[in-house]
């Protein structure tokens, strides 16, 4: 059959509250024109993030009741540890309350002044944790990944020539190399098995551990299966096992591909680093068999990690994203191509050619989508990553994007059709969109709490 259906039935539902355009105008103004400031109930379709927004399965909810809340030695921890060992194969598994807590532990140990951590593209919390430790974060994305309209299979790949040159020059300062699968900040683009292997070989040559930022590992594995030669007949589990076999450790936000609302972990092979990590863990998160989580959370993660390996689910998941991508592309809306694993990214610079980077074209589109149809998206461009030089002049990042990230198992095809309709209406009137200026901003991660004003 041509139609790929949702491979699940809906047992529990949650109402969507509808607002009018004039109500949304007031709500957005009250939120300082920052979509992070809106109340969830004032959003019709929430595509702010795919993180912690999954619908759990009946099995996971049953697992919540079955959670063992023992402070030490919880049965749920052993189930959590066993499935991670089965898929990822690391010797030590350290639970944390979410992905950034795993990053915080790792970089507070290996980071610090005079160290540099390369990645294909650091996610913002990874970069923030590295910089907070006093270290430097460097992105070494391949050339294709920087071209938003180029169709290529693995635009998340690390540039291995750059990595080799970088390590040659800086190897004394590099405690480890990270690789983010899929590459969220670069458009949810996958990394090939070939690239993982090459990065591994370079790390070996310079005697550096390789760590995967593996929030969306199953989506990455599915792309390898359908796009990389030699993997067509392998199961998702086999592909995952191979991907992780090349790494020395990983950080994970379970809020993505473990299909839960909270959780994460750090997993690694090195005994000394594991001991040091657990030392930080007991001070900042909790005892090593629960980390920052309840037993029931560990149980739900263990079940989610089994469910995410289902190929029918992954096929539906990736198809949902490309379905919206195709509708937009057909209508001429510029998006990052090809669509990645968890989100559609509108190319805001091409969408709003009349709004310069320093007037935040992505913010203009994100606000317009909310006003027009109650859709919440996320600006990933000059608001999130823009900097100022010593003269106060705006330095724009490579791309101005608006991310429409899809919660897992939450929305149906008609929701997606509605999203497409709203985007197309905003696109028709794109010349009317105006830029924004920031009226107030915090020193770190400004996109969460800054306030904006439309430029008249
Ligand atoms: N690494 C990547 C690649 C991520 O996408 C995220 C979170 C994290 C690490 C941190 O994990 O949120 O559990 O602490 N990404 C979310 C997003 C927030 O919307 O893309 P966390």
């Amino acid at each position: 059959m041509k139609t790929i259906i949702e491979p699940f039935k809906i047992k529990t539902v949650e109402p969507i509250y509808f607002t009018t355009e004039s109500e949304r105008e007031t709500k957005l103004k009250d939120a300082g024109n920052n979509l992070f400031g809106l109340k969830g109930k004032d959003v019709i379709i929430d595509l702010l993030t795919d993180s912690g927004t999954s619908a759990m399965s009946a099995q996971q909810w049953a697992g919540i009741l079955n959670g063992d809340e023992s402070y030490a030695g919880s049965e749920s921890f052993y189930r959590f540890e066993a499935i991670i060992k089965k898929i990822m194969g690391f010797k030590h598994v350290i639970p944390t309350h979410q992905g950034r807590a795993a990053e915080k532990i790792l970089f507070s140990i290996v980071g610090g002044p005079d160290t540099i951590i390369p990645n294909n593209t650091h996610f913002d919390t990874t970069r923030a944790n590295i910089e907070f430790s006093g270290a430097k974060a460097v992105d070494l994305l391949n050339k294709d990944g920087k071209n938003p309209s180029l169709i290529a299979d693995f635009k998340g790949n690390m540039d291995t020539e750059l990595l080799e040159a970088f390590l040659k020059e800086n190897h004394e300062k590099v405690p480890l190399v990270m690789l983010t699968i899929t590459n969220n900040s670069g458009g949810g683009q996958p990394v090939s098995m070939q690239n993982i292997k090459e990065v591994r070989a370079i790390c070996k040559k310079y005697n550096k551990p390789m760590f995967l930022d593996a929030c969306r590992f199953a989506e990455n594995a599915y792309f390898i299966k359908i796009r990389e030669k030699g993997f067509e007949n392998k199961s998702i589990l086999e592909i995952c096992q191979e991907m992780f076999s090349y790494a020395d450790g990983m950080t994970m936000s379970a809020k993505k591909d473990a299909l839960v609302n909270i959780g994460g972990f750090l997993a690694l092979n090195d005994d000394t680093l594991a001991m040091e990590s657990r030392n930080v863990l007991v001070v900042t998160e909790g005892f090593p068999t629960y980390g920052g989580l309840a037993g029931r959370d560990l149980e739900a993660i263990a079940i989610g990690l089994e469910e995410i390996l289902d190929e029918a689910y992954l096929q539906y998941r990736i198809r949902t994203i490309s379905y919206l991508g195709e509708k937009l592309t057909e209508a001429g809306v510029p998006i990052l191509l090809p669509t990645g694993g968890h989100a559609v990214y509108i190319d805001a610079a091409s969408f709003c050619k009349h709004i310069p980077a320093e007037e935040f074209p992505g913010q203009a589109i994100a606000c317009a989508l909310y006003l027009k149809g109650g859709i919440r998206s996320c600006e990933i461009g000059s608001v999130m990553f823009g900097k100022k030089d010593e003269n106060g002049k705006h330095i724009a990042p490579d791309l101005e994007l608006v991310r429409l990230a899809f919660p897992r198992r939450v929305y149906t095809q008609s929701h997606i059709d509605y999203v497409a309709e709203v985007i197309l209406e905003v696109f028709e009137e794109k010349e009317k969109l105006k830029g924004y200026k920031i009226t107030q901003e915090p020193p770190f991660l400004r996109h969460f709490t800054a306030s904006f004003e439309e430029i008249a």
Side-chain angles (χ1 to χ4, degrees), residues 11-14 52-67 259-262 296-297 299-301 303-304 307 409:
K11 196 185 302 246
T12 307
V13 297
E14 192 184 338
T53 51
S54 296
M56 291 212 296
S57 66
Q59 280 302 320
Q60 285 177 296
W61 282 111
I64 291 279
L65 271 182
N66 279 324
L259 297 166
V260 291
N261 308 117
I262 194 72
R296 55 178 168 270
D297 299 322
E299 196 73 42
I301 293 171
I303 296 164
E307 290 180 355
R409 307 191 292 207

Side-chain angles (χ1 to χ4, degrees), residues 48-51 97-101 103 123-126 180 182-185 213 215-216 251-256 263-264 342 403 405:
L48 183 68
T49 179
D50 64 321
S51 181
H97 78 273
Q98 60 183 84
R100 68 196 70 183
E103 295 163 2
F123 180 65
D124 59 357
T125 61
T126 323
T180 304
T182 57
N183 186 22
N184 182 10
S185 309
D213 175 345
C215 309
R216 300 177 181 86
T251 55
M252 171 85 186
S253 169
K255 298 169 76 173
K256 283 81 167 173
H342 66 295
R403 185 182 77 171

Side-chain angles (χ1 to χ4, degrees), residues 189-246:
Q189 300 293 324
V191 174
S192 69
M193 192 73 85
Q194 181 64 28
N195 192 247
I196 297 175
K197 274 185 355 214
E198 284 169 18
V199 171
R200 163 73 178 169
I202 297 168
C203 287
K204 225 176 174 159
K205 182 168 161 195
Y206 291 89
N207 199 19
K208 300 292 168 197
M210 179 178 91
F211 272 62
L212 295 174
D213 175 345
C215 309
R216 300 177 181 86
F217 72 94
E219 290 169 7
N220 200 86
Y222 184 72
F223 279 117
I224 289 178
K225 182 173 171 94
I226 60 171
R227 290 185 184 169
E228 195 164 350
K229 221 173 154 254
F231 293 94
E232 330 46 5
N233 299 320
K234 293 236 157 93
S235 71
I236 297 298
L237 175 63
E238 286 168 328
I239 296 171
C240 291
Q241 286 169 332
E242 181 173 344
M243 288 184 329
F244 289 106
S245 72
Y246 300 118

Side-chain angles (χ1 to χ4, degrees), residues 259-435:
L259 297 166
V260 291
N261 308 117
I262 194 72
F265 56 90
L266 173 65
L268 46 96
N269 288 330
D270 185 83
D271 295 334
T272 312
L273 186 55
M275 187 194 66
E276 289 172 331
S277 300
R278 289 195 179 104
N279 289 344
V280 180
L281 184 83
V282 283
V283 179
T284 58
E285 294 279 298
F287 187 76
T289 59
Y290 72 84
L293 297 166
R296 55 178 168 270
D297 299 322
L298 298 168
E299 196 73 42
I301 293 171
I303 296 164
L305 286 173
E306 286 274 6
E307 290 180 355
I308 200 78
L309 302 175
D310 174 17
E311 212 176 305
Y313 160 76
L314 288 167
Q315 182 191 35
Y316 137 82
R317 168 78 175 159
I318 304 303
R319 179 59 196 145
T320 312
I321 315 292
S322 63
Y323 174 78
L324 177 61
E326 280 166 20
K327 282 192 165 230
L328 298 182
T329 304
E330 273 163 26
V333 179
I335 60 167
L336 212 152
L337 291 170
T339 45
H342 66 295
V344 169
Y345 293 68
I346 295 173
D347 176 357
S350 309
F351 191 112
C352 286
K353 289 200 180 83
H354 61 294
I355 303 179
E358 63 268 26
E359 291 180 11
F360 311 122
Q363 189 67 17
I365 296 169
C367 288
L369 295 181
Y370 177 70
L371 291 173
K372 176 69 74 186
I375 295 168
R376 178 152 67 171
S377 55
C378 184
E379 194 270 7
I380 302 192
S382 278
V383 174
M384 196 181 270
F385 295 121
K387 295 216 161 77
K388 284 196 177 106
D389 70 11
E390 59 274 21
N391 303 317
K393 202 170 164 281
H394 181 75
I395 309 170
D398 288 339
L399 300 172
E400 300 292 338
L401 302 171
V402 175
R403 185 182 77 171
L404 302 146
F406 286 66
R408 293 170 180 78
R409 307 191 292 207
V410 170
Y411 293 117
T412 64
Q413 187 168 348
S414 69
H415 292 119
I416 306 305
D417 288 334
Y418 172 83
V419 170
E421 197 177 329
V422 172
I423 298 172
L424 295 194
E425 284 209 13
V426 170
F427 187 62
E428 294 233 311
E429 302 174 343
K430 57 185 179 295
E431 282 82 15
K432 288 195 196 150
L433 297 184
K434 293 188 184 121

